[in-house]
Amino acid sequence: RDRTTTRPREHTIVVSDPAIIRSALIDHADAFSNRPLPRFPAGRPITHSITSAPYGPLWQGLRRNFTADILHRSRLGVLTPLEREAAAATVASLSAQAGNNGDVVIRNTLHGAVLALFARLCFGADDDNGMDERALRTVLQMQQEFLSNFTLVRATDRSWLTRLLHWRRRRRHAGVFDRIDEVFIPAIMARRRRRSRDGVCGDGFRSYLDSLLELDIPIDDDDDGRARRPLTDEEIGFLIWEFLSAGTSSTVTCLEAHLAAEPGIQDKLHREVAAHHLRSMTGTAASELHLPYLHAVVLESLRLHPPVPFVLRDVRAEDVAVALGEAAVPPGGASVSFVLGGIGRDREVWTNPDEFRPERFLEGGEGEGVSLVPGPKEIKMMPFSAGRRHCAGVAMGMAHVKCFLAEFVRELEWAPPADGSGIDFTELDEFIKWMKTPLRVRVAPRLLK
Ligand code: HEM
């Protein structure tokens, strides 16, 4: 079986042509199913996460547990009340923070709320799930530190000189991983105690942690996973870190980009959402309701501002040559970087691609039927990537974004800041496409108008 290497490849190939991306990720999926392994501090079980496990029985087991058990579509309705509570708390907090003129910077509040929601899905829905406000603040800091150093650490990985020059930031980045055990292991132990005291899930809510406590993984990925063992607490801690981090920043980035939408679009969205009395509906995920305009707004935003700008693969030389036609790949193989950012703005596919026009995704529009994760047909956008390693949280990501957005436009009116400074759409050139200047908006309660 093809294995990925822990040594950074000397050679990186950047691919932005959608036809070649499709051919590599879908037609040559066997060769393009491993990510380059990051250099994490020695001693970490770096391959024991969905994102870093090589394609094989371990990855299959971890991913199946995640998608078929915890994130399965049939469970999304069960999660809706938690999503609504988180969205409502965010509305209350933003309203309270808005100054006299109504201006408020939303990113930190939103990030905290989305993280708290993921923590409940992960550790259990009760307040005493072991992740109090202090622990959540620590995780928020860890995520911010991790993301702010990620691009630099990757870029400086290749030579000892760049590693030496940037050792301080590299050390800070590695320090995040040193804190994972300290933050999560007490909560893991508390959940285990509760389960043995009160029965299987303690509070009756099957959390991601519950699934990990019950999961057996292959002892050896090379013998097709026949012999199995439970996960260690350290491995569970790392999987929890992945769960809390993989979706939080992309969900926040996605929402930030939506809320900058024009008033005309917002009013139309408000009319649709209000007509559905979303709040009174229970047991149905926002993503499952018939809200075509909400769906179109989310897709249009993902087309224009995909939160993850590129995806990486670790590939052997012969596979690169077959799939990409690269003649001069060194025998050591290559890292391939597939650029997702520009696909949705292709002028040959989209009319006036830089315009925010959700209508293109409604019936009869050029985007009707475009799928969130492209299959073997032409790729018109791919915010969640494609092929075997495409985003494992598509359904949950969409459900969260729609639920927050619906609650936001139902309760509040959003406008550019009162001081006339406008909205700066410049994105940071990093692993996650944050807006360079965190979005500041004017909010006003809708019901009082
Ligand atoms: C709007 C929200 C989101 C976007 C745009 C997004 C996008 C992506 C992208 C582009 C990838 C890389 C795929 C590749 O390498 O081919 C990815 C991977 C992944 N995402 Fe998401 N994501 C989002 C939300 C979430 C959520 C909510 C979760 C769940 C907690 C999640 C969990 C994951 C995981 C586990 C992977 C690794 C999959 C694997 O290696 O098998 N994502 N995501």
Tab-separated table of all heavy atoms in Angstrom, residues 257-311:
chain	number	residue	atom	x	y	z
A	257	ALA	N	-18.177	35.993	5.866
A	257	ALA	CA	-18.324	36.442	4.480
A	257	ALA	C	-19.797	36.682	4.137
A	257	ALA	O	-20.138	37.626	3.429
A	257	ALA	CB	-17.722	35.407	3.539
A	258	HIS	N	-20.712	35.852	4.661
A	258	HIS	CA	-22.141	36.033	4.353
A	258	HIS	C	-22.688	37.336	4.894
A	258	HIS	O	-23.502	37.989	4.283
A	258	HIS	CB	-22.992	34.972	5.058
A	258	HIS	CG	-22.816	33.610	4.518
A	258	HIS	ND1	-22.870	33.341	3.199
A	258	HIS	CD2	-22.605	32.440	5.145
A	258	HIS	CE1	-22.691	32.046	3.033
A	258	HIS	NE2	-22.522	31.488	4.197
A	259	LEU	N	-22.235	37.653	6.114
A	259	LEU	CA	-22.884	38.766	6.800
A	259	LEU	C	-22.527	40.107	6.189
A	259	LEU	O	-23.097	41.134	6.526
A	259	LEU	CB	-22.552	38.726	8.293
A	259	LEU	CG	-23.210	37.519	8.968
A	259	LEU	CD1	-22.711	37.338	10.375
A	259	LEU	CD2	-24.725	37.660	8.951
A	260	ALA	N	-21.549	40.054	5.281
A	260	ALA	CA	-21.201	41.282	4.589
A	260	ALA	C	-22.107	41.473	3.366
A	260	ALA	O	-21.933	42.405	2.602
A	260	ALA	CB	-19.742	41.207	4.165
A	261	ALA	N	-23.070	40.567	3.197
A	261	ALA	CA	-23.910	40.617	1.985
A	261	ALA	C	-24.761	41.894	1.925
A	261	ALA	O	-25.082	42.500	2.942
A	261	ALA	CB	-24.826	39.397	1.954
A	262	GLU	N	-25.130	42.231	0.705
A	262	GLU	CA	-25.885	43.477	0.493
A	262	GLU	C	-27.262	43.456	1.165
A	262	GLU	O	-27.858	42.397	1.301
A	262	GLU	CB	-26.158	43.654	-0.996
A	262	GLU	CG	-24.942	43.861	-1.814
A	262	GLU	CD	-25.270	43.552	-3.263
A	262	GLU	OE1	-26.425	43.768	-3.676
A	262	GLU	OE2	-24.371	43.072	-3.950
A	263	PRO	N	-27.786	44.665	1.513
A	263	PRO	CA	-29.102	44.726	2.175
A	263	PRO	C	-30.217	44.086	1.359
A	263	PRO	O	-31.086	43.423	1.910
A	263	PRO	CB	-29.351	46.232	2.338
A	263	PRO	CG	-28.030	46.889	2.128
A	263	PRO	CD	-27.143	45.964	1.365
A	264	GLY	N	-30.197	44.238	0.033
A	264	GLY	CA	-31.266	43.673	-0.802
A	264	GLY	C	-31.339	42.163	-0.630
A	264	GLY	O	-32.419	41.577	-0.487
A	265	ILE	N	-30.166	41.539	-0.596
A	265	ILE	CA	-30.086	40.082	-0.448
A	265	ILE	C	-30.575	39.688	0.947
A	265	ILE	O	-31.338	38.744	1.132
A	265	ILE	CB	-28.638	39.620	-0.699
A	265	ILE	CG1	-28.345	39.761	-2.178
A	265	ILE	CG2	-28.403	38.191	-0.203
A	265	ILE	CD1	-26.931	39.646	-2.580
A	266	GLN	N	-30.142	40.488	1.908
A	266	GLN	CA	-30.552	40.209	3.291
A	266	GLN	C	-32.069	40.266	3.485
A	266	GLN	O	-32.648	39.426	4.154
A	266	GLN	CB	-29.948	41.297	4.155
A	266	GLN	CG	-29.063	40.775	5.237
A	266	GLN	CD	-28.684	41.931	6.089
A	266	GLN	OE1	-29.508	42.418	6.861
A	266	GLN	NE2	-27.453	42.360	5.943
A	267	ASP	N	-32.676	41.281	2.864
A	267	ASP	CA	-34.136	41.424	3.021
A	267	ASP	C	-34.856	40.219	2.429
A	267	ASP	O	-35.797	39.693	3.017
A	267	ASP	CB	-34.614	42.702	2.330
A	267	ASP	CG	-34.239	43.916	3.159
A	267	ASP	OD1	-33.867	43.719	4.342
A	267	ASP	OD2	-34.261	45.039	2.626
A	268	LYS	N	-34.378	39.794	1.267
A	268	LYS	CA	-35.018	38.643	0.616
A	268	LYS	C	-34.857	37.395	1.493
A	268	LYS	O	-35.792	36.616	1.682
A	268	LYS	CB	-34.339	38.430	-0.745
A	268	LYS	CG	-35.157	37.688	-1.710
A	268	LYS	CD	-34.602	37.856	-3.113
A	268	LYS	CE	-35.262	36.834	-4.026
A	268	LYS	NZ	-34.698	36.810	-5.338
A	269	LEU	N	-33.648	37.263	2.030
A	269	LEU	CA	-33.365	36.122	2.904
A	269	LEU	C	-34.258	36.173	4.147
A	269	LEU	O	-34.834	35.181	4.576
A	269	LEU	CB	-31.881	36.175	3.290
A	269	LEU	CG	-31.280	34.988	3.989
A	269	LEU	CD1	-31.496	33.727	3.178
A	269	LEU	CD2	-29.768	35.212	4.192
A	270	HIS	N	-34.376	37.382	4.701
A	270	HIS	CA	-35.207	37.548	5.897
A	270	HIS	C	-36.641	37.132	5.632
A	270	HIS	O	-37.265	36.435	6.439
A	270	HIS	CB	-35.139	38.996	6.388
A	270	HIS	CG	-36.057	39.251	7.528
A	270	HIS	ND1	-37.225	39.976	7.406
A	270	HIS	CD2	-36.027	38.819	8.813
A	270	HIS	CE1	-37.851	39.987	8.561
A	270	HIS	NE2	-37.149	39.302	9.438
A	271	ARG	N	-37.153	37.554	4.477
A	271	ARG	CA	-38.554	37.205	4.150
A	271	ARG	C	-38.731	35.690	4.113
A	271	ARG	O	-39.675	35.137	4.658
A	271	ARG	CB	-38.963	37.825	2.804
A	271	ARG	CG	-39.348	39.299	2.923
A	271	ARG	CD	-40.155	39.759	1.718
A	271	ARG	NE	-39.418	39.670	0.468
A	271	ARG	CZ	-38.534	40.570	0.049
A	271	ARG	NH1	-38.271	41.636	0.788
A	271	ARG	NH2	-37.890	40.409	-1.104
A	272	GLU	N	-37.771	35.006	3.481
A	272	GLU	CA	-37.896	33.537	3.374
A	272	GLU	C	-37.820	32.872	4.748
A	272	GLU	O	-38.643	32.029	5.098
A	272	GLU	CB	-36.790	32.980	2.472
A	272	GLU	CG	-36.936	31.484	2.261
A	272	GLU	CD	-35.814	30.895	1.403
A	272	GLU	OE1	-34.710	30.673	1.958
A	272	GLU	OE2	-36.030	30.647	0.212
A	273	VAL	N	-36.843	33.310	5.540
A	273	VAL	CA	-36.626	32.682	6.848
A	273	VAL	C	-37.802	32.967	7.781
A	273	VAL	O	-38.306	32.069	8.464
A	273	VAL	CB	-35.295	33.203	7.454
A	273	VAL	CG1	-35.170	32.822	8.911
A	273	VAL	CG2	-34.111	32.674	6.663
A	274	ALA	N	-38.266	34.228	7.786
A	274	ALA	CA	-39.368	34.605	8.684
A	274	ALA	C	-40.622	33.813	8.331
A	274	ALA	O	-41.376	33.386	9.206
A	274	ALA	CB	-39.610	36.097	8.601
A	275	ALA	N	-40.835	33.596	7.033
A	275	ALA	CA	-42.032	32.872	6.601
A	275	ALA	C	-42.035	31.441	7.119
A	275	ALA	O	-43.081	30.830	7.281
A	275	ALA	CB	-42.121	32.882	5.083
A	276	HIS	N	-40.877	30.925	7.394
A	276	HIS	CA	-40.793	29.533	7.869
A	276	HIS	C	-40.872	29.393	9.380
A	276	HIS	O	-40.844	28.287	9.897
A	276	HIS	CB	-39.496	28.889	7.378
A	276	HIS	CG	-39.701	28.108	6.137
A	276	HIS	ND1	-39.980	26.770	6.143
A	276	HIS	CD2	-39.704	28.487	4.847
A	276	HIS	CE1	-40.132	26.359	4.907
A	276	HIS	NE2	-39.961	27.378	4.093
A	277	HIS	N	-40.941	30.517	10.099
A	277	HIS	CA	-40.992	30.479	11.564
A	277	HIS	C	-39.986	29.464	12.088
A	277	HIS	O	-40.313	28.547	12.831
A	277	HIS	CB	-42.387	30.095	12.068
A	277	HIS	CG	-43.436	31.018	11.588
A	277	HIS	ND1	-43.481	32.327	11.967
A	277	HIS	CD2	-44.477	30.826	10.743
A	277	HIS	CE1	-44.505	32.922	11.375
A	277	HIS	NE2	-45.117	32.034	10.621
A	278	LEU	N	-38.748	29.669	11.680
A	278	LEU	CA	-37.722	28.672	11.949
A	278	LEU	C	-37.642	28.266	13.420
A	278	LEU	O	-37.457	27.112	13.753
A	278	LEU	CB	-36.375	29.243	11.494
A	278	LEU	CG	-35.344	28.238	11.062
A	278	LEU	CD1	-35.895	27.363	9.948
A	278	LEU	CD2	-34.104	28.960	10.598
A	279	ARG	N	-37.850	29.277	14.278
A	279	ARG	CA	-37.616	28.986	15.692
A	279	ARG	C	-38.593	27.949	16.245
A	279	ARG	O	-38.250	27.118	17.071
A	279	ARG	CB	-37.720	30.273	16.509
A	279	ARG	CG	-37.476	30.021	17.974
A	279	ARG	CD	-37.500	31.278	18.761
A	279	ARG	NE	-36.185	31.888	18.797
A	279	ARG	CZ	-35.941	33.062	19.333
A	279	ARG	NH1	-36.909	33.769	19.838
A	279	ARG	NH2	-34.730	33.550	19.356
A	280	SER	N	-39.847	28.036	15.768
A	280	SER	CA	-40.847	27.136	16.354
A	280	SER	C	-40.720	25.710	15.832
A	280	SER	O	-41.362	24.800	16.318
A	280	SER	CB	-42.241	27.677	16.054
A	280	SER	OG	-42.398	27.686	14.660
A	281	MET	N	-39.902	25.531	14.811
A	281	MET	CA	-39.799	24.185	14.247
A	281	MET	C	-38.771	23.378	15.026
A	281	MET	O	-37.709	23.870	15.350
A	281	MET	CB	-39.382	24.260	12.792
A	281	MET	CG	-40.264	25.220	12.037
A	281	MET	SD	-40.042	25.108	10.294
A	281	MET	CE	-40.743	23.542	9.960
A	282	THR	N	-39.117	22.161	15.363
A	282	THR	CA	-38.157	21.353	16.116
A	282	THR	C	-37.837	20.080	15.354
A	282	THR	O	-38.640	19.608	14.552
A	282	THR	CB	-38.732	20.949	17.501
A	282	THR	OG1	-40.010	20.397	17.285
A	282	THR	CG2	-38.800	22.117	18.446
A	283	GLY	N	-36.675	19.540	15.643
A	283	GLY	CA	-36.309	18.239	15.104
A	283	GLY	C	-35.959	18.233	13.621
A	283	GLY	O	-35.711	17.193	13.043
A	284	THR	N	-35.943	19.406	12.972
A	284	THR	CA	-35.554	19.441	11.558
A	284	THR	C	-34.365	20.373	11.419
A	284	THR	O	-34.408	21.508	11.869
A	284	THR	CB	-36.712	19.986	10.691
A	284	THR	OG1	-37.899	19.336	11.105
A	284	THR	CG2	-36.450	19.732	9.229
A	285	ALA	N	-33.319	19.898	10.769
A	285	ALA	CA	-32.154	20.750	10.587
A	285	ALA	C	-32.483	21.845	9.584
A	285	ALA	O	-33.235	21.616	8.632
A	285	ALA	CB	-30.994	19.907	10.071
A	286	ALA	N	-31.907	23.049	9.807
A	286	ALA	CA	-32.152	24.157	8.881
A	286	ALA	C	-31.783	23.735	7.462
A	286	ALA	O	-32.411	24.132	6.489
A	286	ALA	CB	-31.343	25.373	9.300
A	287	SER	N	-30.744	22.886	7.367
A	287	SER	CA	-30.290	22.494	6.029
A	287	SER	C	-31.295	21.574	5.334
A	287	SER	O	-31.243	21.384	4.135
A	287	SER	CB	-28.934	21.805	6.131
A	287	SER	OG	-29.011	20.770	7.069
A	288	GLU	N	-32.219	20.989	6.088
A	288	GLU	CA	-33.185	20.059	5.489
A	288	GLU	C	-34.502	20.752	5.136
A	288	GLU	O	-35.341	20.181	4.467
A	288	GLU	CB	-33.485	18.900	6.446
A	288	GLU	CG	-32.257	18.131	6.927
A	288	GLU	CD	-31.618	17.292	5.838
A	288	GLU	OE1	-32.343	16.489	5.237
A	288	GLU	OE2	-30.417	17.451	5.578
A	289	LEU	N	-34.708	21.972	5.640
A	289	LEU	CA	-35.956	22.677	5.346
A	289	LEU	C	-35.926	23.193	3.911
A	289	LEU	O	-34.852	23.391	3.346
A	289	LEU	CB	-36.113	23.878	6.286
A	289	LEU	CG	-36.268	23.570	7.765
A	289	LEU	CD1	-36.248	24.850	8.565
A	289	LEU	CD2	-37.579	22.828	8.002
A	290	HIS	N	-37.119	23.438	3.354
A	290	HIS	CA	-37.131	23.962	1.995
A	290	HIS	C	-36.928	25.475	2.052
A	290	HIS	O	-37.880	26.251	2.138
A	290	HIS	CB	-38.453	23.586	1.316
A	290	HIS	CG	-38.480	24.027	-0.112
A	290	HIS	ND1	-37.608	23.518	-1.054
A	290	HIS	CD2	-39.228	24.961	-0.754
A	290	HIS	CE1	-37.821	24.106	-2.214
A	290	HIS	NE2	-38.804	24.993	-2.057
A	291	LEU	N	-35.685	25.886	2.065
A	291	LEU	CA	-35.338	27.307	2.093
A	291	LEU	C	-34.358	27.551	0.946
A	291	LEU	O	-33.148	27.700	1.153
A	291	LEU	CB	-34.692	27.670	3.442
A	291	LEU	CG	-35.575	27.557	4.687
A	291	LEU	CD1	-34.761	27.625	5.958
A	291	LEU	CD2	-36.627	28.666	4.683
A	292	PRO	N	-34.881	27.573	-0.293
A	292	PRO	CA	-33.967	27.615	-1.448
A	292	PRO	C	-33.087	28.852	-1.482
A	292	PRO	O	-31.937	28.783	-1.914
A	292	PRO	CB	-34.909	27.568	-2.660
A	292	PRO	CG	-36.271	27.775	-2.139
A	292	PRO	CD	-36.291	27.477	-0.681
A	293	TYR	N	-33.623	30.000	-1.025
A	293	TYR	CA	-32.788	31.208	-1.109
A	293	TYR	C	-31.641	31.142	-0.100
A	293	TYR	O	-30.503	31.507	-0.405
A	293	TYR	CB	-33.648	32.472	-0.914
A	293	TYR	CG	-32.933	33.695	-1.423
A	293	TYR	CD1	-32.697	33.851	-2.794
A	293	TYR	CD2	-32.459	34.677	-0.563
A	293	TYR	CE1	-32.012	34.961	-3.279
A	293	TYR	CE2	-31.777	35.784	-1.035
A	293	TYR	CZ	-31.553	35.918	-2.403
A	293	TYR	OH	-30.863	36.998	-2.878
A	294	LEU	N	-31.932	30.627	1.097
A	294	LEU	CA	-30.863	30.457	2.107
A	294	LEU	C	-29.777	29.542	1.538
A	294	LEU	O	-28.581	29.835	1.628
A	294	LEU	CB	-31.462	29.852	3.385
A	294	LEU	CG	-30.499	29.514	4.522
A	294	LEU	CD1	-29.819	30.760	5.078
A	294	LEU	CD2	-31.214	28.790	5.674
A	295	HIS	N	-30.201	28.452	0.920
A	295	HIS	CA	-29.248	27.503	0.339
A	295	HIS	C	-28.412	28.209	-0.743
A	295	HIS	O	-27.188	28.073	-0.800
A	295	HIS	CB	-30.032	26.326	-0.265
A	295	HIS	CG	-29.164	25.204	-0.735
A	295	HIS	ND1	-28.395	24.439	0.112
A	295	HIS	CD2	-28.910	24.730	-1.992
A	295	HIS	CE1	-27.715	23.542	-0.588
A	295	HIS	NE2	-28.010	23.696	-1.865
A	296	ALA	N	-29.103	29.004	-1.565
A	296	ALA	CA	-28.410	29.695	-2.666
A	296	ALA	C	-27.417	30.720	-2.124
A	296	ALA	O	-26.305	30.864	-2.648
A	296	ALA	CB	-29.442	30.374	-3.569
A	297	VAL	N	-27.793	31.427	-1.060
A	297	VAL	CA	-26.876	32.432	-0.490
A	297	VAL	C	-25.615	31.746	0.049
A	297	VAL	O	-24.487	32.210	-0.162
A	297	VAL	CB	-27.589	33.234	0.642
A	297	VAL	CG1	-26.595	34.062	1.440
A	297	VAL	CG2	-28.650	34.143	0.051
A	298	VAL	N	-25.797	30.618	0.716
A	298	VAL	CA	-24.634	29.914	1.276
A	298	VAL	C	-23.734	29.405	0.144
A	298	VAL	O	-22.510	29.561	0.181
A	298	VAL	CB	-25.078	28.763	2.213
A	298	VAL	CG1	-23.879	27.978	2.710
A	298	VAL	CG2	-25.862	29.312	3.399
A	299	LEU	N	-24.348	28.839	-0.892
A	299	LEU	CA	-23.541	28.344	-2.017
A	299	LEU	C	-22.793	29.476	-2.707
A	299	LEU	O	-21.619	29.344	-3.062
A	299	LEU	CB	-24.433	27.640	-3.044
A	299	LEU	CG	-24.916	26.246	-2.678
A	299	LEU	CD1	-25.674	25.623	-3.834
A	299	LEU	CD2	-23.748	25.341	-2.327
A	300	GLU	N	-23.495	30.609	-2.894
A	300	GLU	CA	-22.855	31.727	-3.598
A	300	GLU	C	-21.657	32.242	-2.795
A	300	GLU	O	-20.617	32.584	-3.356
A	300	GLU	CB	-23.889	32.837	-3.817
A	300	GLU	CG	-23.386	34.083	-4.519
A	300	GLU	CD	-22.948	33.854	-5.979
A	300	GLU	OE1	-22.688	32.705	-6.362
A	300	GLU	OE2	-22.828	34.845	-6.719
A	301	SER	N	-21.826	32.241	-1.490
A	301	SER	CA	-20.715	32.697	-0.666
A	301	SER	C	-19.546	31.701	-0.712
A	301	SER	O	-18.381	32.095	-0.798
A	301	SER	CB	-21.227	32.892	0.760
A	301	SER	OG	-20.194	33.306	1.549
A	302	LEU	N	-19.872	30.413	-0.713
A	302	LEU	CA	-18.800	29.401	-0.801
A	302	LEU	C	-18.119	29.426	-2.169
A	302	LEU	O	-16.942	29.140	-2.299
A	302	LEU	CB	-19.370	28.005	-0.531
A	302	LEU	CG	-19.704	27.694	0.924
A	302	LEU	CD1	-20.536	26.414	1.024
A	302	LEU	CD2	-18.439	27.539	1.757
A	303	ARG	N	-18.893	29.772	-3.201
A	303	ARG	CA	-18.295	29.877	-4.535
A	303	ARG	C	-17.273	31.007	-4.568
A	303	ARG	O	-16.151	30.850	-5.038
A	303	ARG	CB	-19.400	30.135	-5.585
A	303	ARG	CG	-18.879	30.280	-7.013
A	303	ARG	CD	-19.973	30.727	-7.985
A	303	ARG	NE	-20.407	32.106	-7.788
A	303	ARG	CZ	-19.742	33.184	-8.226
A	303	ARG	NH1	-18.618	33.040	-8.894
A	303	ARG	NH2	-20.205	34.406	-7.990
A	304	LEU	N	-17.678	32.161	-4.020
A	304	LEU	CA	-16.805	33.336	-4.085
A	304	LEU	C	-15.707	33.316	-3.024
A	304	LEU	O	-14.610	33.801	-3.251
A	304	LEU	CB	-17.651	34.599	-3.884
A	304	LEU	CG	-18.265	35.207	-5.123
A	304	LEU	CD1	-19.236	36.311	-4.727
A	304	LEU	CD2	-17.181	35.789	-6.023
A	305	HIS	N	-16.031	32.801	-1.852
A	305	HIS	CA	-15.064	32.849	-0.744
A	305	HIS	C	-14.895	31.481	-0.101
A	305	HIS	O	-15.271	31.281	1.059
A	305	HIS	CB	-15.539	33.834	0.345
A	305	HIS	CG	-15.877	35.183	-0.178
A	305	HIS	ND1	-14.932	36.094	-0.573
A	305	HIS	CD2	-17.070	35.784	-0.381
A	305	HIS	CE1	-15.523	37.190	-1.001
A	305	HIS	NE2	-16.832	37.025	-0.895
A	306	PRO	N	-14.337	30.505	-0.837
A	306	PRO	CA	-14.135	29.207	-0.172
A	306	PRO	C	-13.146	29.389	0.987
A	306	PRO	O	-12.059	29.936	0.784
A	306	PRO	CB	-13.533	28.328	-1.288
A	306	PRO	CG	-13.040	29.269	-2.333
A	306	PRO	CD	-13.817	30.546	-2.201
A	307	PRO	N	-13.530	28.974	2.206
A	307	PRO	CA	-12.664	29.246	3.358
A	307	PRO	C	-11.306	28.553	3.270
A	307	PRO	O	-10.320	29.052	3.786
A	307	PRO	CB	-13.454	28.686	4.550
A	307	PRO	CG	-14.861	28.571	4.085
A	307	PRO	CD	-14.810	28.358	2.616
A	308	VAL	N	-11.248	27.378	2.615
A	308	VAL	CA	-9.971	26.662	2.529
A	308	VAL	C	-9.436	26.860	1.097
A	308	VAL	O	-10.023	26.362	0.141
A	308	VAL	CB	-10.168	25.151	2.814
A	308	VAL	CG1	-8.840	24.401	2.769
A	308	VAL	CG2	-10.846	24.956	4.169
A	309	PRO	N	-8.338	27.607	0.948
A	309	PRO	CA	-7.923	27.988	-0.412
A	309	PRO	C	-7.217	26.897	-1.206
A	309	PRO	O	-7.188	26.940	-2.424
A	309	PRO	CB	-6.961	29.152	-0.168
A	309	PRO	CG	-6.470	28.983	1.232
A	309	PRO	CD	-7.548	28.267	1.983
A	310	PHE	N	-6.625	25.918	-0.539
A	310	PHE	CA	-5.911	24.856	-1.278
A	310	PHE	C	-5.928	23.566	-0.470
A	310	PHE	O	-6.124	23.590	0.752
A	310	PHE	CB	-4.446	25.266	-1.558
A	310	PHE	CG	-3.649	25.514	-0.303
A	310	PHE	CD1	-2.964	24.485	0.320
A	310	PHE	CD2	-3.599	26.785	0.264
A	310	PHE	CE1	-2.255	24.711	1.488
A	310	PHE	CE2	-2.887	27.018	1.437
A	310	PHE	CZ	-2.213	25.966	2.053
A	311	VAL	N	-5.751	22.437	-1.160
A	311	VAL	CA	-5.597	21.159	-0.441
A	311	VAL	C	-4.298	20.509	-0.915
A	311	VAL	O	-3.867	20.712	-2.053
A	311	VAL	CB	-6.794	20.207	-0.646
A	311	VAL	CG1	-8.063	20.832	-0.125
A	311	VAL	CG2	-6.971	19.780	-2.089
